[in-house]
Amino acid sequence: MSEERIINIISNRNYESRKTKKNLIYKLRKNGFEPSETYSDKAELNICIGGDGAFLRAIHRNAFPEIPFVGINTGHLGFFQELLPNEIDSFIRRYKAQDYQVEKIYMVDATVCTKKKCFYLTGINEIVIKGVRSKVVHLEVFINDNHLQRFSGDGLIVSTPSGSTAYNFSAGGSIVYPSLESLQITPLAPINSSAYRSLPNSAIIPGDAIIQIKPELRYENSILVLNDGMEFKYDSIVSIDLTMSDKKIYKLNFSKDMYWNNLKSKFL
Ligand code: NAP
Ligand code: MN
């Protein structure tokens, strides 16, 4: 008896995605694969249908699996998504021939410690520290225990390389090639006046560094933490440590020029 080749299909619910899913399942079965609409740990591949948001949610909901992903874009942008709905045939052909590369996606870990306990988050795009009710935040920023700045403004983004084209890019941060092991700290509306001084531009930090952010004591309850757009609020935050995660996500890559083509076609 031959081994089953299970492929998980994770799709959002919009019309285009459902249509694509039906077609994909039909074609995978015809090619001897076993598509599964409920997440199986025994699968060899995860196919995510939707946009970047669907891709991010598929990873969070399935606890950062080691099974590689490939995305079919039915979203607005789909920067993570490698394929279009009309490319399913060539995808199956190339997948069967193992004609692809596996790309690593680096993530960011945050340890949020309050006076009572610590909480752990992992972000694929970024972790953002902001003020509640749009208040100005005042944050002490340390890199490897070296004090860098007392930041005042709307907040700080700590972005991964893959996340650099998301919120980070809108905030004026740089685009970082996904294989560069690094994190980027990007200010959101930094205040620069005779009262406050904050770095006006982003800084790219080596992948083994620890970024520590401490809210000023009287502001410890006015901090929000956003993980890939999902909002978290903690009582009495003492410190937030951010590092590149040991966990990694894997994504199939069918063209080495995809990244540059994507940048041009999706951002210019
Ligand atoms: P969303 O509101 O649909 O996301 C905003 C846009 O960001 C969408 O067009 C999304 O693509 C795109 N996007 C997500 N990840 C990307 C990446 N790595 N590179 C390039 N573009 C990317 O919400 P969502 O789909 O759940 O995405 C959550 C993300 O939104 C957050 O992680 C954050 O990066 C981003 N965001 C951006 C801003 C801003 O730019 N001012 C503000 C808040 C949050 P799709 O259309 O394919 O989904
Ligand atoms: Mn979206």
Side-chain angles (χ1 to χ4, degrees):
M1 199 176 83
S2 67
E3 209 184 313
E4 270 190 320
R5 298 190 66 181
I6 301 170
I7 296 183
N8 291 324
I9 314 291
I10 308 161
S11 173
N12 67 14
R13 288 197 187 85
N14 72 38
Y15 176 72
E16 186 65 22
S17 298
R18 282 183 286 150
K19 216 172 74 185
T20 303
K21 180 168 86 174
K22 225 176 123 192
N23 184 28
L24 176 69
I25 288 176
Y26 170 76
K27 288 182 169 165
L28 284 175
R29 287 212 177 107
K30 233 174 66 181
N31 279 276
F33 294 101
E34 188 55 60
S36 174
E37 288 185 71
T38 52
Y39 192 84
S40 164
D41 289 330
K42 297 196 180 65
E44 59 180 50
L45 180 68
N46 294 317
I47 302 181
C48 175
I49 308 169
D52 291 324
F55 182 80
L56 297 170
R57 280 185 288 282
I59 295 170
H60 279 283
R61 284 186 190 155
N62 296 297
F64 309 96
E66 281 176 17
I67 303 166
F69 279 84
V70 69
I72 303 178
N73 187 31
T74 56
H76 293 112
L77 188 73
F79 201 76
F80 280 114
Q81 306 293 71
E82 184 85 8
L83 308 163
L84 291 172
N86 63 13
E87 293 171 335
I88 291 174
D89 291 321
S90 66
F91 155 69
I92 293 177
R93 184 165 21 84
R94 293 186 64 183
Y95 182 67
K96 279 166 70 177
Q98 292 181 296
D99 179 16
Y100 57 82
Q101 308 265 297
V102 179
E103 179 189 324
K104 256 188 220 157
I105 296 182
Y106 295 117
M107 298 188 285
V108 54
D109 277 345
T111 305
V112 182
C113 292
T114 68
K115 282 181 180 154
K116 288 205 177 115
K117 62 179 283 198
C118 297
F119 300 87
Y120 303 92
L121 302 173
T122 300
I124 303 145
N125 274 341
E126 76 285 291
I127 290 186
V128 184
I129 294 150
K130 264 190 178 175
V132 294
R133 299 184 302 277
S134 306
K135 278 173 177 290
V136 171
V137 289
H138 302 280
L139 306 167
E140 299 292 352
V141 182
F142 301 81
I143 311 284
N144 293 336
D145 292 329
N146 302 291
H147 184 252
L148 177 69
Q149 65 171 330
R150 175 177 185 266
F151 173 88
S152 299
D154 281 4
L156 289 170
I157 301 175
V158 177
S159 159
T160 64
S162 301
S164 66
T165 45
Y167 200 174
N168 169 72
F169 184 60
S170 310
S174 291
I175 291 171
V176 176
Y177 195 76
S179 63
L180 295 173
E181 298 188 28
S182 57
L183 291 174
Q184 183 166 188
I185 313 181
T186 304
L188 287 166
I191 303 182
N192 280 293
S193 63
S194 55
Y196 301 114
R197 277 262 147 248
S198 313
L199 282 177
N201 296 102
S202 75
I204 296 173
I205 311 291
D208 59 358
I210 302 174
I211 302 167
Q212 188 173 56
I213 296 175
K214 292 183 175 176
E216 277 193 9
L217 278 185
R218 62 198 168 102
Y219 298 103
E220 64 189 17
N221 280 323
S222 31
I223 303 292
L224 276 184
V225 181
L226 280 93
N227 181 6
D228 293 334
M230 294 169 284
E231 201 173 287
F232 296 87
K233 171 86 178 69
Y234 305 94
D235 287 330
S236 309
I237 293 181
V238 178
S239 67
I240 303 172
D241 283 11
L242 299 124
T243 56
M244 232 179 73
S245 183
D246 289 335
K247 292 194 282 272
K248 276 152 200 82
I249 290 295
Y250 302 90
K251 184 171 136 338
L252 304 192
N253 207 317
F254 289 93
S255 153
K256 68 177 176 28
D257 299 322
M258 175 86 176
Y259 188 80
W260 305 111
N261 296 338
N262 244 344
L263 265 192
K264 182 165 177 174
S265 66
K266 297 190 172 171
F267 288 97
L268 290 171

